[in-house]
Amino acid sequence: MGLRRCVSFLKPASRVLSSASRRRTHGAADNMAEEAKKLAAYAAVDNHVQNNQVVGVGSGSTIVYAVDRLAERVRQEKLNVVCVPTSFQARQLILQHGLTLSDLDRHPELDVAIDGADEVDADLTLIKGGGGCLTQEKIVAGCAKHFVVIADYRKDSKALGQQWRKGVPIEVIPMAHVPVSRTIAKRFGGEANLRMAVSKAGPVVTDNSNFILDWKFERADNWKEVNTAIKMIPGVVETGLFVGMAERAYFGMEDGSVQVRDPRVN
């Protein structure tokens, strides 16, 4: 009886050790990914931001490093740079770093926009909107002469859906979320689910007071056609498909290098 009790106590201990080991592994992977984000962000800011420019500032975790580097360069090189945010988060980052804040009313044409992505395929087609800012991100990117993407190695795919499994975000007018979801599933397959909030009851609400559907697609042969068709559904505000917009992507890699991808020449 005593031996059985002793053995039963040993089993949880082994599980604790295994769990601690997994946490160390995840911690190392997270640190590597964060360093990769920083590498990509610094490379993009150094290569694309110059004096007397208006810069679109994207949203998400990778952009934090881009704003850090931008603020550093503004201080060190005395650059005159005006920043236009894509979200409330981006606006706060700009203000916290003491950078010059503006908007599209005052600066409707940007020199460059820098933003992250949830996934980037071989053609520089992007899935964006994991954080919920897709519409404003697309507006700012569309106003820029040059749109540059920064990401870590986990966001790099040959085809969309290989890495990002949460689906394509689609911003919709709240009253239309059910019919839009049904129409997308019927016409394109898969399923489009209303994104629910984590820390509060109810759905996620965007900066534009809309809802988000996450479309878990089965397959798509032509993302440009799919994007256009979804946007034509009444009630759809914008999709998280960025097709033919990015002119360059910077990927921070596991080995400490930065890979640069330009659109393929057909």
Side-chain angles (χ1 to χ4, degrees):
M1 187 71 177
L3 179 59
R4 282 198 297 272
R5 281 200 297 270
C6 182
V7 171
S8 68
F9 286 134
L10 285 173
K11 286 181 180 178
S14 66
R15 285 199 295 269
V16 169
L17 290 174
S18 177
S19 177
S21 177
R22 284 197 298 271
R23 285 197 298 271
R24 285 195 295 270
T25 300
H26 289 314
D30 289 343
N31 290 338
M32 187 180 296
E34 289 303 312
E35 183 60 28
K37 292 178 185 179
K38 182 177 179 180
L39 290 167
Y42 274 48
V45 171
D46 288 350
N47 289 340
H48 294 275
V49 176
Q50 301 174 17
N51 193 29
N52 297 319
Q53 281 190 333
V54 183
V55 179
V57 177
S59 307
S61 59
T62 310
I63 282 298
V64 174
Y65 297 107
V67 177
D68 285 345
R69 180 55 178 161
L70 181 58
E72 186 176 67
R73 287 193 59 201
V74 167
R75 289 193 303 270
Q76 293 177 352
E77 303 172 34
K78 303 295 188 288
L79 298 181
N80 175 34
V81 173
V82 174
C83 299
V84 174
T86 61
S87 65
F88 182 79
Q89 177 222 9
R91 181 181 185 277
Q92 293 304 104
L93 282 171
I94 292 166
L95 292 175
Q96 289 167 7
H97 284 77
L99 296 167
T100 302
L101 175 70
S102 189
D103 53 40
L104 293 178
D105 290 339
R106 287 172 286 182
H107 294 91
E109 186 175 281
L110 315 179
D111 294 290
V112 62
I114 300 175
D115 207 344
D118 297 307
E119 190 170 32
V120 185
D121 77 4
D123 296 314
L124 291 193
T125 298
L126 318 175
I127 291 179
K128 289 176 53 56
C133 302
L134 58 149
T135 298
Q136 294 181 189
E137 289 173 343
K138 191 175 279 189
I139 291 170
V140 169
C143 291
K145 298 175 185 176
H146 307 285
F147 176 43
V148 179
V149 177
I150 53 178
D152 63 79
Y153 51 89
R154 301 173 302 176
K155 310 300 177 65
D156 184 13
S157 293
K158 290 184 179 179
L160 295 185
Q162 288 182 341
Q163 302 283 2
W164 182 254
R165 304 302 176 91
K166 298 180 181 180
V168 175
I170 300 168
E171 185 164 345
V172 297
I173 300 297
M175 68 172 290
H177 78 89
V178 171
V180 169
S181 175
R182 289 166 59 89
T183 300
I184 289 173
K186 183 178 179 179
R187 292 180 60 182
F188 306 104
E191 57 181 13
N193 298 315
L194 183 63
R195 185 185 298 181
M196 304 305 290
V198 175
S199 299
K200 75 172 187 69
V204 168
V205 178
T206 71
D207 286 352
N208 309 306
S209 300
N210 294 318
F211 291 169
I212 291 181
L213 299 174
D214 288 304
W215 173 43
K216 296 184 179 180
F217 55 91
E218 295 170 348
R219 62 190 297 273
D221 297 320
N222 188 318
W223 284 116
K224 184 176 181 180
E225 291 180 359
V226 169
N227 179 57
T228 300
I230 292 176
K231 287 180 66 172
M232 292 301 293
I233 300 171
V236 171
V237 177
E238 190 53 86
T239 81
L241 290 167
F242 285 51
V243 186
M245 298 185 71
E247 69 174 45
R248 177 166 288 182
Y250 290 84
F251 296 99
M253 305 306 292
E254 295 171 280
D255 62 3
S257 65
V258 176
Q259 286 189 7
V260 179
R261 177 179 302 158
D262 295 318
R264 292 191 293 193
V265 178
N266 294 326

